[in-house]
Amino acid sequence: MQTADIRQRWLDFFSERGHTVVPSASLVSDDPSLLFTVAGMVPFVPYLTGLVPAPFPRATSVQKCIRTLDIEEVGKTPRHGTFFQMNGNFSFGDYFKEGAITYAWELLTTSEADGGYGFEEKDLWVTVYEEDDVSFDLWRRIAGLPEHRIQRLGKSENYWSTGQPGPAGPDSEIFFDRGSAYGADGGPATGDDRYVEIWNLVFMQYLRGAGSGYDFPILGDLPQQNIDTGMGLERVAFLKQGVENIYEIDQIRPVLDRAAELSGRAYGANHDDDVRMRVVADHVRSSLMLMSDGVTPSNEGRGYILRRLLRRSVRSMRLLGVDAPTFEALFPASRDAMKAAYPEVETDYDRIGRLAYAEEETFLRTLASGTTILDVAVDKSKSAGSAQLPGDTAFLLHDTFGFPIDLTLEIAEESGLSVDRAAFDMLMTEQRTKAKADAKSKKSHLADLSVYSAFRAKGETIFTGYDFLDTDSSVLGIIKDGESITRAVVGDIVEVILQETSLYPESGGQEADQGSIVGNGFDLEVLDVQRPVKGLVSHKVQVRSGEVGVGDAASSIVDPGYRRGAEQAHSATHLIHAALRQVLGAEAHQAGSYNKSGYMRLDFNWSKPLSLETRSEIEDIANGAIRDDLEVSTRIMPLDEARSLGAMALFGEKYGDTVRVVQIGSPWSLELCAGTHVARSSQVGLINLVSEASIGSSNRRVESLVGIDAFRDLAAERAIVNELTANLKTPREQLPERISDLVASLKAAEKRIAEFESAALNERVPALVGAASRIGAVTALVENVGELNSSDDLRTLVTSVRGRLGSDAVVVALAASVGGKPAVIVATNEAARSLGAKAGALAKTAAGILGGGGGGKDDLAQGGGSDVSAIGIALEAISSALPR
C-alpha cells in the first residue's frame, strides 16, 4: 500500500463520518513559542484549549511536521525522521473515548478491499493510563482484545499535557507487533523496537495545575471533553509496505538509492554506510519540504535548522566518499517521490533547487576552509608532542565554522591523532543546556494566552480600518500584566480589547497604526496594535487622561498622516516586488517585507548583488507605475480562486479559506495581502531605492524611502551636489569626472609624500647604526627617535638597523611618539635570542611602564601605551633587561 493511498484512505474514512477535512498547515508554526509545526494537533491547539471557538465539531487532517530534537537518532532506528506526516482526527466537545476507540479499531482492522488498512487483530497491542479503567473496558468491549494485550502504564508513557497549567488527560496508544524476529515478547511495556507505536489517542478531559514533569495537580474537569489523535503515516507505510524502516518507504527510498548510486556503495552491506544513506534520504526530504513552505537557509531560527539539515546531508555524503556536489541529483529524486502528495514541490522546484544548490556550494567551500584550519591545528598538536586534538578546537570548528565533528574525528584519525571528545561533549552540553533554557522560557505561550480566551469567545474583532479612520465601539476587556482587570487610570500601560477597531494591527510586514482611543472622560495613546490570537485585536495603550473601564463606549482614531504614509509604503512594496520580477524573472520571489510610514524594505530570493544599472531599472519601472496612475483594487475571494488568477502569496505566510487580493493595474501586480493601500498608484508619490544588500547566501534585501521621505532624501542629495558644484566650480554633469581627477591627484600626491618620507627614514638609518653600543652581552640600540607618522615607519627603522648591525648578538629597541601616543618596537637576531633576548618580553616590559600592553614574537614585537613622558624610563627598563 503506497503512502499516498494510506493518506487518502484516512481522509476518506473520517470525511465519511462527518469530519471536516482540514488541509495541512504550513511547517512554519503560527505559535511564536514554536519554530515549526511539531505535531498534528498544533494547528488545532486554539480550539482544543478553548482559546478560539472551534468552527466545526469534528475534523481530520494529514499534517506536515518537523521535529529535530532526536536528530542524532535519525538513521539509527527504524522510526526516527525529522519530517513526518501525522494523520489526525479531532473532536471538540463532540464524541469522546468510545467514539475515538471505535473509529481507530474500525479503520485499522477493516480489510484493504473495504477501504481500511487491513491489520490483523492478533498483531495489535494497546496501552492505557494505569488509572483509566474506562478506556481499558472500552478496548475490551469494542476490540475484544484479551486483557494481557491491554497494558496499563504510568504518566510518563500514557498521560498528555502541554507542560503548562491547562488541558491534560490520559491517552491510549496502539502498537503493531513485528514478531519474535525483532525482539523479546512482552508487549509495548518492554520498550522494545519489536512493538511499533502507530496511533495515539489523547483524551483531553482535565484541567491541570502548575508543577514540574508529571507531578502536577488535577484541578477539575474541562468545560468540554476533546479528542486529539495521531497516526504516524510513515510508520504505517513501512509496516504496510513490508520494509524494515521508514527510510525504505516509497516516499523516501528513491533518495536513499540515489545516494547509494552516487557513492558506489551498496545499501545493506555496511551498517555505518546504511545509517549515512538514511540520514541523507531523511534530511533531503525534510529540507525539500521546509523550502517548499518558504524557509530559507540562514544562521538563526528556522533557517538555521534548515541549514543544519542540508549540511548534515553534505557531511554524510562526504563520509560515504563523495566530495563533489550531489544535491542536483538527490533533490530531484525527493521531489519526484513527494510531488503526488504535495504538488508544490514540483511547481516551485526552480526556487527550491536554486536555494539547495547554492547552500551546498557554500558549505563545500566552508569544508575546504575548515579543513585548512584543522590541518594547522593538527600540525600544532603534533609539534607540541600531543597525540590529541583539543576539544575546544573541535568545538570552535563545529560552532563557528559549521565543520561537523564527524569530519574532525575522521581527519584527526588519518593524521594519527585522537580528539578530546570529553571536552568537546562538555562544550556541546553547555551550549544545548543554554538553548534548552532559552526554549523553555518561551514555552509559557499557551498559559500566557489564556487571558484572551474569554474575549475571543465573544467573537472576532471587527476591523473597519479599510473603510474608516474612526470607529465607535465599546471596551470588551482590559488586561494589565497578563491579568484581566476592570479599570485603568492615568499613567497605566494596559491592553484594551474593543469590539470593533479602525486601528490596523501589525501583520503582513506592515507596522501597526498610530492613533488614539477616546471616550467620555478618557484619552488613551495607542502604543501598539497586535493580534495575540487569531481573530482578536489587542491595543497596547497608555492612559493619558481620565479613567477607562470595561463596558465604556470608546472610539478608535487612526492618525491620518501615519496611515497615509503606511498605505504609500505598503503599495510601494507591491510595486517594487512586481518590478523586481519584471527585471530578474519569476524566481525573484518575495521572502519577507517590512513597511511603515515613509519606508519599506523587501527581501527576495536571489543570490547575486544587483548592479547599479539593475537597481536603477527596478526603481524606474516602479516609479513608472506610479506615473501611470494605476487603479488599486481589493477583492475577497476563495483561496483557490485567488491562486487560479495568479495572485502572489508570500512563502510561509498563513492564509485562510478566503483571502484578500490586492490588484494594481489590470493586473500590473496581483498579490494576497491584508494590508492597507492607496486607491491609485499615483498616490504613492515617489520611490527612492536607497540600498541593496545580501542577507544570506540566497537572499537579498532592497530598502526604499517612499513619498515625502523619498523627496526629502533626494532634496538633501541635491543640496550636497549644489555645494560641490559651487566649491569645485564644476557643472553638475562634470562632477564625477572632476572628483575622479581630484582623487587620482590626491593618490599621486600621497604616493610622492610616502616616497619622500621613506627616503627621509632611510637617511636616518646610518646615524642610528652608528649610535649602537655594547650593552652587556649584546650590541644594542635603545633610543627615542622622536615623532613619527606611523608605527609602520618605526618598524621600518627598527628592522633596517637590525639588518645593518651584522650577525653578532643584536637588539634594537626604538621608541617614538605616534599620533601623540608612545610606541616601542623591539627586534632581535638569532644570536641575541640564543642568549635569552626575546623581543616579545622586552616590548611587554616597556609597554607596562608606558601604561599599555604589548608583546609579539621572539624576533619582533611591539608595545604601546598612553604616557609619552615615560618613554625614557621604558627604554632604560629594556636596557636593564638585556642579557649580561
Side-chain angles (χ1 to χ4, degrees):
M1 187 182 294
Q2 296 295 286
T3 305
D5 186 19
I6 299 171
R7 178 180 185 273
Q8 194 58 50
R9 285 171 184 250
W10 177 277
L11 295 176
D12 290 344
F13 178 87
F14 284 103
S15 176
E16 291 166 2
R17 287 155 181 79
H19 292 67
T20 298
V21 176
V22 179
S24 174
S26 170
L27 286 168
V28 178
S29 174
D30 279 328
D31 187 337
S33 69
L34 298 173
L35 286 177
F36 299 115
T37 301
V38 296
M41 55 84 74
V42 168
F44 299 96
V45 165
Y47 310 143
L48 292 167
T49 59
L51 190 60
V52 176
F56 26 63
R58 50 177 73 183
T60 186
S61 69
V62 178
Q63 175 62 47
K64 300 178 293 185
C65 303
I66 285 281
R67 196 180 296 169
T68 58
L69 287 177
D70 296 327
I71 195 170
E72 300 297 338
E73 296 303 310
V74 171
K76 300 176 183 177
T77 73
R79 55 188 175 81
H80 277 101
T82 51
F83 172 83
F84 59 95
Q85 299 158 87
M86 188 60 70
N87 296 1
N89 62 285
F90 307 90
S91 166
F92 311 104
D94 190 2
Y95 61 85
F96 198 50
K97 292 182 181 180
E98 182 169 1
I101 290 172
T102 298
Y103 287 145
W105 192 251
E106 181 183 354
L107 180 54
L108 285 175
T109 59
T110 296
S111 69
E112 292 184 20
D114 291 326
Y117 292 139
F119 281 100
E120 295 287 340
E121 295 182 10
K122 63 180 180 59
D123 296 326
L124 300 177
W125 289 66
V126 168
T127 63
V128 298
Y129 176 51
E130 57 191 356
E131 298 177 10
D132 188 1
D133 296 331
V134 173
S135 293
F136 187 93
D137 293 340
L138 285 171
W139 278 113
R140 288 281 293 125
R141 176 166 61 82
I142 294 169
L145 286 171
E147 290 191 7
H148 76 279
R149 294 226 314 270
I150 310 172
Q151 296 187 321
R152 295 177 183 263
L153 300 177
K155 274 188 175 179
S156 60
E157 289 84 14
N158 281 95
Y159 209 92
W160 175 90
S161 80
T162 64
Q164 300 289 335
D171 66 48
S172 180
E173 298 174 351
I174 307 172
F175 292 78
F176 177 82
D177 180 2
R178 302 177 74 192
S180 58
Y182 292 92
D185 196 4
T190 63
D192 199 281
D193 278 341
R194 166 178 171 172
Y195 301 92
V196 178
E197 179 197 339
I198 57 176
W199 201 327
N200 185 14
L201 293 78
V202 175
F203 308 128
M204 206 176 294
Q205 62 186 112
Y206 300 122
L207 181 67
R208 59 153 285 187
S212 60
Y214 292 97
D215 183 16
F216 51 80
I218 298 299
L219 304 180
D221 293 336
L222 291 173
Q224 68 176 32
Q225 297 176 328
N226 298 323
I227 287 292
D228 156 30
T229 85
M231 186 186 81
L233 181 54
E234 283 79 7
R235 295 189 183 189
V236 172
F238 94 74
L239 295 174
K240 294 304 297 180
Q241 291 174 20
V243 294
E244 292 299 305
N245 51 63
I246 65 169
Y247 316 102
E248 297 176 16
I249 67 172
D250 58 302
Q251 286 188 344
I252 307 178
R253 181 64 187 252
V255 185
L256 190 154
D257 289 339
R258 198 74 178 95
E261 180 183 343
L262 291 169
S263 67
R265 305 186 185 188
Y267 180 65
N270 176 279
H271 172 73
D272 289 342
D273 285 350
D274 288 354
V275 170
R276 290 161 186 158
M277 291 178 199
R278 293 172 193 153
V279 167
V280 170
D282 172 84
H283 287 8
V284 165
R285 183 171 81 136
S286 297
S287 300
L288 174 83
M289 298 308 297
L290 281 171
M291 288 187 285
S292 75
D293 272 356
V295 182
T296 57
S298 69
N299 287 328
E300 58 184 21
R302 301 178 180 96
Y304 175 75
I305 300 296
L306 171 58
R307 173 163 284 167
R308 186 183 182 202
L309 291 168
L310 291 166
R311 292 187 168 191
R312 279 173 59 90
S313 302
V314 174
R315 176 203 70 182
S316 296
M317 289 304 299
R318 180 182 171 111
L319 293 175
L320 286 167
V322 184
D323 294 330
T326 61
F327 282 0
E328 289 193 28
L330 296 172
F331 270 81
S334 187
R335 172 200 64 199
D336 294 343
M338 296 300 294
K339 65 184 181 183
Y342 303 99
E344 60 269 23
V345 301
E346 181 175 37
T347 57
D348 194 34
Y349 188 74
D350 286 346
R351 181 187 63 87
I352 295 170
R354 181 172 50 79
L355 288 171
Y357 307 157
E359 185 66 18
E360 180 179 36
E361 181 182 348
T362 299
F363 186 49
L364 288 173
R365 288 198 299 268
T366 297
L367 288 178
S369 60
T371 301
T372 302
I373 295 168
L374 182 54
D375 287 343
V376 171
V378 167
D379 291 342
K380 186 175 180 180
S381 294
K382 285 186 171 182
S383 299
S386 174
Q388 193 174 60
L389 192 73
D392 57 357
T393 300
F395 180 75
L396 174 71
L397 285 164
H398 168 85
D399 192 52
T400 303
F401 297 97
F403 201 78
I405 183 61
D406 289 2
L407 285 181
T408 301
L409 292 168
E410 175 189 349
I411 294 171
E413 184 178 353
E414 290 171 356
S415 303
L417 297 177
S418 62
V419 175
D420 187 350
R421 190 62 189 264
F424 173 84
D425 289 342
M426 181 183 71
L427 291 168
M428 284 296 294
T429 299
E430 290 176 2
Q431 185 190 60
R432 285 171 181 155
T433 300
K434 183 179 182 299
K436 285 180 179 178
D438 292 343
K440 186 176 181 181
S441 69
K442 298 177 182 178
K443 287 199 174 176
S444 61
H445 175 62
L446 287 176
D448 293 342
L449 292 182
S450 62
V451 69
Y452 299 106
S453 60
F455 307 124
R456 182 60 182 82
K458 297 177 182 178
E460 295 193 16
T461 306
I462 300 170
F463 176 65
T464 64
Y466 294 131
D467 304 307
F468 306 102
L469 293 181
D470 301 349
T471 293
D472 294 334
S473 184
S474 60
V475 177
L476 290 181
I478 304 173
I479 300 169
K480 184 177 182 181
D481 298 329
E483 300 288 337
S484 179
I485 61 175
T486 58
R487 305 198 71 77
V489 298
V490 172
D492 281 350
I493 295 178
V494 296
E495 292 178 65
V496 169
I497 311 295
L498 300 178
Q499 191 167 2
E500 301 93 9
T501 183
S502 56
L503 290 152
Y504 183 82
E506 180 182 357
S507 61
Q510 181 175 331
E511 196 172 79
D513 272 334
Q514 293 181 3
S516 59
I517 298 173
V518 300
N520 186 18
F522 64 85
D523 181 359
L524 316 178
E525 179 188 1
V526 175
L527 306 176
D528 193 12
V529 191
Q530 294 290 333
R531 284 193 177 96
V533 298
K534 184 178 179 181
L536 188 73
V537 175
S538 172
H539 310 77
K540 184 179 181 181
V541 302
Q542 182 166 26
V543 183
R544 283 189 290 214
S545 65
E547 183 176 329
V548 60
V550 173
D552 287 353
S555 298
S556 57
I557 302 174
V558 178
D559 179 330
Y562 187 86
R563 168 66 76 81
R564 188 180 307 112
E567 290 174 342
Q568 290 176 313
H570 205 150
S571 295
T573 305
H574 286 219
L575 295 177
I576 288 287
H577 188 204
L580 275 168
R581 292 170 64 79
Q582 283 189 33
V583 175
L584 303 178
E587 61 181 302
H589 198 292
Q590 180 177 342
S593 68
Y594 171 73
N595 48 77
K596 62 179 181 177
S597 183
Y599 168 85
M600 61 132 293
R601 72 168 185 245
L602 185 141
D603 302 337
F604 60 102
N605 301 138
W606 198 253
S607 56
K608 300 176 182 176
L610 303 185
S611 67
L612 289 176
E613 293 79 8
T614 300
R615 286 174 54 178
S616 294
E617 183 180 3
I618 291 165
E619 186 180 56
D620 188 58
I621 290 172
N623 280 299
I626 294 173
R627 176 202 60 208
D628 291 341
D629 191 31
L630 304 173
E631 181 185 5
V632 180
S633 61
T634 60
R635 286 182 289 166
I636 305 297
M637 63 180 67
L639 178 59
D640 291 341
E641 181 182 346
R643 284 177 170 159
S644 69
L645 292 175
M648 297 289 297
L650 180 61
F651 286 113
E653 192 72 13
K654 319 302 182 306
Y655 300 101
D657 294 334
T658 59
V659 292
R660 184 170 182 262
V661 179
V662 176
Q663 180 172 311
I664 304 177
S666 57
W668 198 84
S669 167
L670 189 68
E671 299 195 27
L672 305 184
C673 181
T676 62
H677 289 270
V678 297
R680 301 194 69 86
S681 63
S682 60
Q683 295 171 357
V684 172
L686 180 66
I687 292 175
N688 178 9
L689 204 163
V690 294
S691 74
E692 186 273 337
S694 169
I695 54 168
S697 61
S698 55
N699 285 296
R700 310 290 298 179
R701 170 175 291 172
V702 291
E703 295 179 280
S704 294
L705 297 175
V706 183
I708 191 65
D709 291 82
F711 171 77
R712 287 169 178 160
D713 186 68
L714 292 173
E717 288 187 3
R718 181 179 62 191
I720 293 171
V721 171
N722 289 341
E723 186 175 351
L724 287 172
T725 58
N727 290 338
L728 299 178
K729 296 180 175 56
T730 303
R732 183 178 66 177
E733 60 273 11
Q734 295 178 18
L735 274 178
E737 183 179 354
R738 175 71 172 134
I739 292 173
S740 179
D741 289 344
L742 287 173
V743 169
S745 297
L746 180 60
K747 287 182 177 179
E750 289 174 341
K751 183 177 180 182
R752 288 195 296 272
I753 291 170
E755 290 171 350
F756 290 142
E757 290 177 342
S758 178
L761 282 175
N762 289 334
E763 289 176 359
R764 297 185 65 175
V765 171
L768 290 171
V769 171
S773 61
R774 195 75 178 176
I775 300 178
V778 300
T779 297
L781 176 66
V782 184
E783 189 166 325
N784 182 354
V785 295
E787 292 190 8
L788 291 176
N789 290 326
S790 68
S791 295
D792 289 339
D793 290 347
L794 184 60
R795 185 178 293 103
T796 298
L797 283 177
V798 169
T799 54
S800 295
V801 171
R802 180 182 61 179
R804 295 194 185 189
L805 285 176
S807 58
D808 290 341
V810 171
V811 175
V812 179
L814 299 181
S817 173
V818 177
K821 293 185 177 182
V824 60
I825 295 181
V826 183
T828 63
N829 65 6
E830 186 175 350
R833 291 192 294 275
S834 68
L835 296 175
K838 310 293 185 182
L842 294 171
K844 190 172 184 179
T845 297
I849 296 171
L850 295 172
K857 296 182 180 180
D858 291 344
D859 63 329
L860 186 66
Q862 179 174 338
S866 57
D867 187 0
V868 174
S869 65
I871 286 179
I873 300 173
L875 293 176
E876 289 177 6
I878 290 177
S879 296
S880 299
L882 294 176
R884 304 293 172 174

